[in-house]
Amino acid sequence: MIDYDGRRFRPAEADAQGRTALYRQEGDLLWGTFSGGRARRGSLTGVCAPDGSLDFAYSMVLDDGEVVSGHCRSTPELREDGGIDLREEWERFGAHAAKGVSYLKEVK
């Protein structure tokens, strides 16, 4: 199992400066916080499978005050430098429901 505790991630896009997430882990329990971009603050809670994949719910408050929630399944890819890249398949619920795929890179 991958230990995500204390690892920081940012979106893979080149213009993602200032957008970061900090993951915490205890056993298979995963939680974290994130901010930047349109997200004033967000949090996630879920589980880590033995293969390192993540299954979690998230919620966030956007810069316009809208509250958004959804679900995400992340699949890790280990880099040669020991870092982790995550492929995220996400689904947003509510009035602005959407689905998509995004990518995170670990930053050290």
Side-chain angles (χ1 to χ4, degrees), residues 2 6 8 22 56 63 86-87 95 101:
I2 295 172
R8 292 185 183 279
L22 173 62
F56 60 83
D63 56 5
L86 293 172
R87 180 182 189 274
V101 174

Side-chain angles (χ1 to χ4, degrees), residues 21-100:
L22 173 62
Y23 285 19
R24 304 303 313 243
Q25 183 178 351
E26 187 174 290
D28 69 340
L29 181 63
L30 178 85
W31 67 98
T33 58
F34 57 93
S35 63
R38 289 198 57 217
R40 288 170 50 195
R41 173 159 311 267
S43 62
L44 61 95
T45 305
V47 292
C48 179
D51 66 358
S53 63
L54 306 174
D55 188 24
F56 60 83
Y58 66 87
S59 62
M60 62 182 150
V61 176
L62 300 179
D63 56 5
D64 63 2
E66 182 181 4
V67 177
V68 176
S69 64
H71 176 263
C72 185
R73 175 123 176 115
S74 297
T75 305
E77 182 178 307
L78 300 177
R79 300 189 316 236
E80 287 185 17
D81 67 2
I84 299 171
D85 293 337
L86 293 172
R87 180 182 189 274
E88 299 189 312
E89 295 179 43
W90 53 266
E91 180 177 10
R92 183 176 293 174
F93 307 134
H96 301 286
K99 290 183 180 183

